[in-house]
Coordinates of all heavy atoms in Angstrom, one line a residue:
C1 N -10.3 9.7 42.5 CA -11.0 10.2 41.3 C -11.0 9.1 40.2 O -9.9 8.8 39.8 CB -10.4 11.5 40.9 SG -11.2 12.3 39.4
N2 N -12.1 8.6 39.8 CA -12.2 7.5 38.8 C -11.5 6.3 39.2 O -11.0 5.5 38.4 CB -11.7 8.0 37.5 CG -12.5 9.0 36.8 OD1 -13.8 9.0 37.0 ND2 -12.0 9.9 36.1
N3 N -11.3 6.0 40.5 CA -10.7 4.8 41.0 C -11.6 4.1 42.0 O -11.7 4.4 43.2 CB -9.4 5.2 41.8 CG -8.5 4.0 42.0 OD1 -8.9 3.0 42.5 ND2 -7.2 4.2 41.8
V4 N -12.3 3.1 41.4 CA -13.3 2.3 42.2 C -12.7 1.6 43.4 O -13.3 1.6 44.5 CB -14.0 1.3 41.3 CG1 -15.0 0.5 42.0 CG2 -14.7 2.1 40.1
S5 N -11.6 1.0 43.2 CA -11.0 0.2 44.3 C -10.6 1.1 45.5 O -10.9 0.7 46.7 CB -9.7 -0.6 43.8 OG -8.7 0.3 43.4
C6 N -10.1 2.3 45.3 CA -9.8 3.2 46.4 C -11.1 3.6 47.1 O -11.2 3.7 48.3 CB -9.1 4.4 45.9 SG -7.3 4.1 45.5
T7 N -12.1 3.9 46.3 CA -13.4 4.4 46.8 C -14.0 3.3 47.7 O -14.5 3.6 48.8 CB -14.4 4.7 45.7 OG1 -13.8 5.7 44.8 CG2 -15.7 5.2 46.2
K8 N -13.9 2.0 47.2 CA -14.5 0.9 48.0 C -13.8 0.8 49.3 O -14.4 0.6 50.4 CB -14.4 -0.4 47.2 CG -15.1 -1.5 47.9 CD -15.0 -2.8 47.1 CE -15.7 -4.0 47.8 NZ -15.2 -4.2 49.2
E9 N -12.4 0.9 49.3 CA -11.7 0.7 50.6 C -12.0 1.8 51.6 O -12.2 1.6 52.8 CB -10.2 0.7 50.3 CG -9.3 0.6 51.5 CD -7.8 0.4 51.2 OE1 -7.5 0.1 50.1 OE2 -7.0 0.6 52.2
L10 N -12.2 3.0 51.1 CA -12.5 4.2 51.9 C -13.9 4.0 52.5 O -14.2 4.3 53.7 CB -12.5 5.5 51.2 CG -11.0 6.0 50.9 CD1 -11.1 7.1 49.8 CD2 -10.3 6.4 52.1
R11 N -14.8 3.5 51.7 CA -16.2 3.3 52.2 C -16.3 2.3 53.3 O -17.2 2.4 54.2 CB -17.1 2.8 51.0 CG -18.6 2.9 51.3 CD -19.5 2.3 50.1 NE -19.2 3.1 49.0 CZ -18.8 2.7 47.8 NH1 -18.5 1.4 47.7 NH2 -18.7 3.5 46.8
D12 N -15.4 1.4 53.3 CA -15.4 0.3 54.3 C -14.8 0.7 55.7 O -14.8 -0.1 56.6 CB -14.7 -1.0 53.8 CG -15.4 -1.6 52.7 OD1 -16.7 -1.4 52.6 OD2 -14.8 -2.4 51.9
L13 N -14.2 1.9 55.7 CA -13.6 2.4 56.9 C -14.6 3.1 57.8 O -15.2 4.1 57.5 CB -12.5 3.4 56.6 CG -11.3 2.9 55.8 CD1 -10.3 4.0 55.5 CD2 -10.6 1.8 56.6
G14 N -14.8 2.5 59.0 CA -16.0 2.8 59.9 C -16.0 4.3 60.3 O -17.1 4.9 60.2
N15 N -14.9 4.8 60.8 CA -14.9 6.2 61.3 C -14.8 7.3 60.4 O -14.8 8.5 60.7 CB -13.9 6.3 62.5 CG -14.2 5.4 63.6 OD1 -15.4 5.2 63.9 ND2 -13.1 5.0 64.3
L16 N -14.4 7.0 59.1 CA -14.1 8.0 58.1 C -15.3 8.9 57.9 O -15.1 10.1 57.7 CB -13.7 7.3 56.8 CG -13.3 8.3 55.7 CD1 -12.2 9.2 56.1 CD2 -12.9 7.5 54.4
K17 N -16.5 8.4 57.8 CA -17.6 9.2 57.6 C -17.8 10.3 58.6 O -18.0 11.5 58.3 CB -18.9 8.3 57.6 CG -20.2 9.1 57.3 CD -21.4 8.1 57.2 CE -22.7 8.9 57.0 NZ -23.9 8.0 56.9
Y18 N -17.6 9.9 59.9 CA -17.7 10.9 60.9 C -16.6 12.0 60.8 O -16.8 13.2 60.9 CB -17.5 10.2 62.3 CG -17.2 11.1 63.5 CD1 -18.2 11.8 64.0 CD2 -15.9 11.2 64.0 CE1 -17.9 12.7 65.1 CE2 -15.6 12.0 65.0 CZ -16.6 12.7 65.6 OH -16.4 13.6 66.7
H19 N -15.3 11.6 60.5 CA -14.2 12.5 60.4 C -14.5 13.5 59.2 O -14.2 14.7 59.4 CB -12.9 11.8 60.1 CG -12.4 11.1 61.4 ND1 -12.2 11.7 62.6 CD2 -12.1 9.8 61.5 CE1 -11.8 10.8 63.4 NE2 -11.7 9.6 62.8
L20 N -15.0 13.0 58.1 CA -15.3 13.9 57.0 C -16.4 14.9 57.3 O -16.4 16.0 56.8 CB -15.6 13.0 55.7 CG -14.4 12.3 55.2 CD1 -14.9 11.5 53.9 CD2 -13.3 13.2 54.8
Q21 N -17.4 14.4 58.0 CA -18.5 15.3 58.4 C -17.9 16.5 59.3 O -18.3 17.6 59.1 CB -19.6 14.6 59.2 CG -20.4 13.6 58.3 CD -21.4 12.8 59.1 OE1 -21.1 12.5 60.3 NE2 -22.4 12.3 58.5
I22 N -17.1 16.1 60.2 CA -16.4 17.2 61.1 C -15.6 18.1 60.2 O -15.7 19.4 60.4 CB -15.6 16.5 62.2 CG1 -16.4 15.7 63.1 CG2 -14.8 17.6 62.9 CD1 -17.5 16.4 63.8
L23 N -14.8 17.6 59.3 CA -13.9 18.5 58.5 C -14.7 19.3 57.5 O -14.3 20.4 57.2 CB -12.9 17.6 57.8 CG -11.8 17.0 58.7 CD1 -11.0 16.0 57.9 CD2 -10.9 18.1 59.2
A24 N -15.8 18.7 57.0 CA -16.6 19.5 56.1 C -17.3 20.7 56.7 O -17.6 21.7 56.0 CB -17.7 18.6 55.5
A25 N -17.4 20.7 58.0 CA -18.0 21.8 58.7 C -17.0 22.9 59.0 O -17.4 24.0 59.6 CB -18.7 21.3 60.0
E26 N -15.7 22.6 58.8 CA -14.7 23.6 59.1 C -14.7 24.7 58.0 O -15.4 24.6 56.9 CB -13.3 23.0 59.1 CG -13.2 22.0 60.3 CD -13.1 22.7 61.6 OE1 -12.9 23.9 61.7 OE2 -13.1 22.0 62.6
N27 N -13.9 25.7 58.2 CA -13.9 26.9 57.3 C -12.8 26.6 56.2 O -11.6 26.6 56.5 CB -13.5 28.2 58.0 CG -13.4 29.3 57.1 OD1 -13.7 29.3 55.9 ND2 -12.9 30.5 57.7
W28 N -13.3 26.4 55.0 CA -12.4 26.0 53.9 C -12.1 27.2 53.0 O -11.8 27.1 51.8 CB -13.1 24.9 53.0 CG -12.9 23.6 53.6 CD1 -13.6 23.0 54.7 CD2 -12.0 22.5 53.2 NE1 -13.2 21.8 54.9 CE2 -12.3 21.4 54.0 CE3 -11.0 22.4 52.2 CZ2 -11.5 20.2 54.0 CZ3 -10.3 21.2 52.1 CH2 -10.6 20.2 52.9
S29 N -12.3 28.4 53.5 CA -12.0 29.7 52.7 C -10.6 29.6 52.3 O -9.7 29.3 53.0 CB -12.3 30.9 53.6 OG -11.5 31.0 54.7
G30 N -10.4 30.0 51.0 CA -9.1 30.0 50.4 C -8.9 28.8 49.5 O -7.9 28.7 48.8
W31 N -9.7 27.8 49.7 CA -9.7 26.6 48.8 C -10.8 26.7 47.8 O -11.9 27.2 48.2 CB -9.9 25.3 49.7 CG -8.8 25.0 50.7 CD1 -8.5 25.8 51.8 CD2 -7.8 24.0 50.6 NE1 -7.4 25.2 52.4 CE2 -7.0 24.1 51.7 CE3 -7.7 22.9 49.7 CZ2 -6.0 23.2 51.9 CZ3 -6.6 22.0 50.0 CH2 -5.8 22.2 51.1
P32 N -10.7 26.2 46.6 CA -11.7 26.3 45.6 C -12.9 25.4 45.9 O -14.0 25.6 45.4 CB -11.1 25.9 44.3 CG -9.9 25.1 44.7 CD -9.4 25.6 46.0
E33 N -12.6 24.3 46.7 CA -13.7 23.4 47.1 C -13.5 22.9 48.5 O -12.4 23.0 49.0 CB -13.7 22.1 46.1 CG -14.0 22.4 44.7 CD -15.5 22.8 44.5 OE1 -16.3 22.4 45.3 OE2 -15.7 23.4 43.5
N34 N -14.6 22.5 49.1 CA -14.5 21.9 50.4 C -14.2 20.4 50.1 O -15.1 19.6 49.8 CB -15.8 22.0 51.2 CG -15.8 21.4 52.5 OD1 -15.2 20.4 52.8 ND2 -16.6 22.0 53.5
F35 N -12.9 20.0 50.2 CA -12.6 18.7 49.7 C -13.0 17.6 50.7 O -13.0 16.4 50.3 CB -11.1 18.6 49.4 CG -10.7 19.2 48.1 CD1 -10.2 20.5 48.0 CD2 -11.0 18.6 46.9 CE1 -9.9 21.1 46.8 CE2 -10.7 19.1 45.7 CZ -10.2 20.4 45.6
A36 N -13.3 17.9 51.9 CA -13.9 16.9 52.8 C -15.3 16.5 52.3 O -15.7 15.4 52.3 CB -14.0 17.5 54.2
E37 N -16.0 17.5 51.9 CA -17.3 17.4 51.3 C -17.3 16.6 50.0 O -18.0 15.7 49.7 CB -18.1 18.7 51.1 CG -19.5 18.6 50.8 CD -20.2 20.0 50.9 OE1 -20.1 20.7 49.8 OE2 -20.7 20.3 51.9
V38 N -16.3 17.0 49.1 CA -16.1 16.3 47.8 C -15.8 14.9 48.1 O -16.4 14.0 47.4 CB -15.0 17.0 47.1 CG1 -14.6 16.1 45.9 CG2 -15.4 18.4 46.6
L39 N -14.9 14.6 49.0 CA -14.5 13.2 49.3 C -15.7 12.4 49.8 O -16.0 11.2 49.5 CB -13.4 13.1 50.2 CG -12.7 11.8 50.5 CD1 -12.2 11.2 49.2 CD2 -11.6 11.9 51.5
Y40 N -16.5 13.0 50.7 CA -17.7 12.4 51.3 C -18.7 12.0 50.3 O -19.2 10.8 50.3 CB -18.3 13.5 52.2 CG -19.5 13.0 53.1 CD1 -19.3 12.5 54.3 CD2 -20.8 13.0 52.6 CE1 -20.3 12.0 55.1 CE2 -21.9 12.6 53.4 CZ -21.6 12.1 54.6 OH -22.7 11.7 55.4
F41 N -19.0 12.8 49.3 CA -19.9 12.5 48.2 C -19.2 11.5 47.2 O -19.9 10.6 46.7 CB -20.4 13.7 47.5 CG -21.4 14.5 48.2 CD1 -21.1 15.4 49.1 CD2 -22.8 14.2 48.0 CE1 -22.1 16.1 49.8 CE2 -23.8 14.8 48.7 CZ -23.4 15.8 49.6
L42 N -17.9 11.7 47.0 CA -17.2 10.8 46.0 C -17.3 9.3 46.5 O -17.5 8.4 45.8 CB -15.8 11.2 45.8 CG -14.9 10.4 44.9 CD1 -15.5 10.4 43.5 CD2 -13.5 11.0 44.9
I43 N -17.1 9.2 47.8 CA -17.2 7.8 48.4 C -18.5 7.2 48.5 O -18.7 6.0 48.4 CB -16.6 7.9 49.9 CG1 -15.1 8.3 49.9 CG2 -16.7 6.5 50.6 CD1 -14.5 8.6 51.2
G44 N -19.6 8.1 48.5 CA -20.9 7.7 48.5 C -21.6 7.6 49.9 O -22.6 7.0 50.1

């Protein structure tokens, strides 16, 4: 959150996009947000 260097490092990780897509499709009931989806969009 508000950390460009961390965002860039995550964006450069090849398989992360796939893992976040899989996790975003899981049931996040009980959490205020689907943080896999939040992270996916935050990274770009």
Side-chain angles (χ1 to χ4, degrees):
C1 184
N2 290 331
N3 192 314
V4 176
S5 63
C6 285
T7 303
K8 184 180 184 303
E9 182 174 343
L10 288 167
R11 191 183 300 123
D12 293 338
L13 296 175
N15 293 330
L16 180 58
K17 181 178 181 180
Y18 165 77
H19 290 303
L20 292 180
Q21 287 173 336
I22 297 298
L23 288 170
E26 295 288 349
N27 181 5
W28 283 75
S29 61
W31 295 68
E33 295 290 336
N34 181 326
F35 283 103
E37 191 174 82
V38 168
L39 188 59
Y40 186 91
F41 281 89
L42 180 61
I43 295 170

